[in-house]
Amino acid sequence: MDNAAFREPSFEIRTRGGMRVPDGAAPVQPEIALGFAAAPADPGDAIQLFEGPIDDALREDLEARPLRKANEARVLESRVRCDGTTCVLRPTEPLAKGRDYTVGVGAWLFPGKHGAYLRGFTTMLGPDAGVSIVAFWPADGTSGVPANMNGFLVGVDGLSTALHAHVEVVLDGVHARVQARTTNCEAIDDRLASCAWANTDTPLAGARTATVSVKDGALDSTGAPLPLRHSTFAIFGRDTAIPMLVPIACATDEESVDSLCFLRGDTGLRVRGRAAEPVRSTWRIEGKSQGRLSPRGEFELLFTGLGPDTMYTGALVLTDLGENTQTIATATKTYADLPTVTITEVLVDPVGPEPTQEYVEVLNFGAHAVDMEDFRISDDAMRDGDHLPPGATVPAGGRALVVGAGFDADAPGDEPVPPGVPVFVLDGPIGSGGLSATGEPLYLRDAAGRRVSATPPLPSLGAGVCWVRTDERSRLDGPSDFARAPSGACTPGAAPRTP
């Protein structure tokens, strides 16, 4: 096992329910998984949790026993269990919200072979943490909520108690009696793990304001009390007008139909649009259904697992706060088989010079070579992008790199490109001036202008650290479709290394 493998073990923060969360949105009762390149003989006191951020004194202390008293005082009682190469740390008491913490691995975990490892994180019970309220219907601050609306919705991710028993409604400062019921959450919004509708026996027509919240007693998936949040909105008269679409600009690879933008794939279809008011959007095709809460009117719905070269007819239903609906018939055909290439790895922030040492790796997951001459890559949905050079071909099962002008496959600092890996050099940098360290999406289109792969905005993970696709045969571009490379190291032209 080499030094690099130890300095960058895989690092993952989860809820007690096993849900992975970003470092900056950790729950107050986390479990932290570290993956090493070899199994520790005995973790002992080598893996610990410290209060506060990383500093030089703590880094020095973790190079050799014993810890100085000041750092001993920072240690939080935790349980550490190792199973093979993976060790999981759990603090025995809840952490404080909004505080910085450091996971430290002493150099004595692998005596005489490696240095210390430190990784910081911040606790934050936010939507990304998977342990809090993620949706209100109507949303907080909504104006003009009609008095004839058919109830309120609260949606939660990671709940471990029955939500519908904890919904509370206050009308003009007076508690109303609530009739709450569970419902099919995913039919309303596929992002909701738990949700509840609530109705009151008090007519809304007699009130000016309403507040919907969750009473004490609801627990999140870590077993901690759900952080109290609420939605307050103004009530007006009845609403009988149907929701209307607002025209939007479609990307170069989308089709504009009746103020909607359709993105076609060979096994999937996507529609996006915007209503002039808050809506619940539901798209139904061939017995399937996708739903989304759209408090600002914008919606995007996606179907996967469809057949290629097939016409799918269905209906898009928009429902506003007053339960008025508009149904829009849809008829969209999937493409015949798209080229079997997808973006699998992205180096946004190289150790070497930027933007010349940035790269985008593509994989041909098919059984035949793919000619990518005249394919285009772009960081702008509205722009065709830069053409790949003549002769750009990826063999069956092979990988290739798309790079900017001046790229050096053997430059010091970053992982070298193995011999034989195809490198497709653009006339200039990738995208508009190179890949942004703050994150921007990427679009890969074939010679016919069809989108064959895309990524979400991918910000820098640190110099020399790559993003990798979680499912290498996927073309999707959701936030969960890419993650930090398991070993922390880039692997240009090769499959990601496991820790």
Side-chain angles (χ1 to χ4, degrees):
M1 184 173 65
D2 58 19
N3 282 341
F6 177 78
R7 287 197 302 270
E8 291 289 349
S10 65
F11 178 89
E12 186 172 285
I13 298 180
R14 311 168 183 158
T15 68
R16 291 293 171 91
M19 181 184 297
R20 182 179 178 180
V21 299
D23 297 5
V28 294
Q29 292 184 280
E31 65 175 29
I32 298 158
L34 296 162
F36 299 99
D42 179 7
D45 62 351
I47 302 175
Q48 300 192 79
L49 180 63
F50 297 87
E51 190 170 17
I54 297 172
D55 58 37
D56 291 340
L58 180 59
R59 191 181 299 277
E60 291 173 3
D61 265 12
L62 288 173
E63 291 295 336
R65 293 185 179 101
L67 296 177
R68 283 172 279 195
K69 289 185 178 180
N71 284 327
E72 277 188 353
R74 295 175 57 183
V75 175
L76 298 175
E77 183 179 352
S78 304
R79 296 186 180 91
V80 178
R81 293 184 179 180
C82 295
D83 183 5
T85 59
T86 300
C87 296
V88 176
L89 177 150
R90 285 188 175 187
T92 57
E93 298 292 333
L95 306 180
K97 179 182 176 181
R99 297 286 295 275
D100 292 327
Y101 296 90
T102 299
V103 175
V105 180
W108 55 91
L109 182 65
F110 296 98
K113 296 182 179 179
H114 304 285
Y117 169 78
L118 297 90
R119 181 69 176 264
F121 66 93
T122 302
T123 54
M124 183 181 72
L125 293 176
D128 292 332
V131 293
S132 67
I133 297 172
V134 296
F136 279 107
W137 183 258
D140 187 42
T142 302
S143 60
V145 173
N148 59 314
M149 75 170 297
N150 188 31
F152 319 101
L153 181 135
V154 181
V156 173
D157 193 5
L159 197 72
S160 60
T161 58
L163 175 62
H164 63 277
H166 299 277
V167 176
E168 182 176 61
V169 178
V170 176
L171 300 175
D172 287 343
V174 179
H175 285 76
R177 191 165 66 180
V178 173
Q179 299 169 330
R181 63 185 189 275
T182 56
T183 189
N184 181 359
C185 305
E186 291 187 359
I188 297 170
D189 192 318
D190 57 19
R191 297 168 298 183
L192 301 182
S194 305
C195 66
W197 276 104
N199 298 82
T200 72
D201 58 2
T202 305
L204 296 184
R208 291 172 297 175
T209 63
T211 298
V212 180
S213 59
V214 177
K215 295 182 292 185
D216 290 338
L219 303 179
D220 63 32
S221 59
T222 72
L226 197 69
L228 296 179
R229 282 189 53 199
H230 63 270
S231 174
T232 298
F233 42 87
I235 299 172
F236 287 84
R238 295 180 62 85
D239 178 15
T240 59
I242 65 171
M244 302 299 294
L245 289 172
V246 176
I248 61 173
C250 296
T252 60
D253 48 21
E254 293 178 321
E255 296 179 7
S256 178
V257 181
D258 297 330
S259 298
L260 296 169
C261 297
F262 290 90
L263 180 67
R264 299 163 58 196
D266 53 359
T267 60
L269 295 171
R270 180 181 295 176
V271 65
R272 65 183 184 92
R274 182 169 64 234
E277 60 181 308
V279 291
R280 303 194 311 270
S281 51
T282 304
W283 194 19
R284 302 187 181 100
I285 61 172
E286 303 297 323
K288 302 175 183 288
S289 179
Q290 287 287 324
R292 188 57 50 96
L293 291 174
S294 307
R296 291 181 296 275
E298 298 177 349
F299 57 87
E300 185 175 291
L301 300 166
L302 169 69
F303 282 105
T304 58
L306 304 180
D309 199 23
T310 303
M311 177 65 72
Y312 288 92
T313 59
L316 175 68
V317 181
L318 305 179
T319 306
D320 67 13
L321 293 168
E323 296 300 310
N324 306 299
T325 64
Q326 179 185 182
T327 301
I328 303 164
T330 64
T332 311
K333 188 176 184 180
T334 52
Y335 287 126
D337 295 340
L338 288 172
T340 55
V341 291
T342 190
I343 296 172
T344 48
E345 183 169 296
V346 181
L347 178 57
V348 175
D349 185 6
V351 175
E354 296 185 58
T356 54
Q357 292 307 113
E358 299 169 348
Y359 71 74
V360 175
E361 179 192 83
V362 295
L363 165 69
N364 176 4
F365 56 83
H368 304 282
V370 174
D371 179 3
M372 295 185 65
E373 181 175 339
D374 212 28
F375 274 47
R376 285 156 280 181
I377 190 165
S378 176
D379 56 5
D380 187 343
M382 305 299 175
R383 180 173 167 265
D384 283 341
D386 302 305
H387 290 244
L388 270 61
T393 300
V394 189
R399 300 170 192 263
L401 301 185
V402 179
V403 303
F407 178 81
D408 183 353
D410 299 313
D414 292 297
E415 291 285 334
V417 180
V421 173
V423 178
F424 307 148
V425 184
L426 304 174
D427 290 336
I430 303 172
S432 303
L435 303 177
S436 171
T438 58
E440 58 188 358
L442 288 170
Y443 306 90
L444 181 66
R445 302 182 177 101
D446 67 8
R450 303 175 301 178
R451 187 183 303 183
V452 297
S453 183
T455 77
L458 300 174
S460 169
L461 292 168
V465 182
C466 277
W467 288 95
V468 296
R469 187 177 284 280
T470 54
D471 178 359
E472 290 204 315
R473 296 178 67 90
S474 171
R475 305 179 189 275
L476 300 178
D477 58 351
S480 64
D481 292 305
F482 281 80
R484 182 179 184 270
S487 67
C490 297
T491 55
R497 290 196 294 265
T498 55

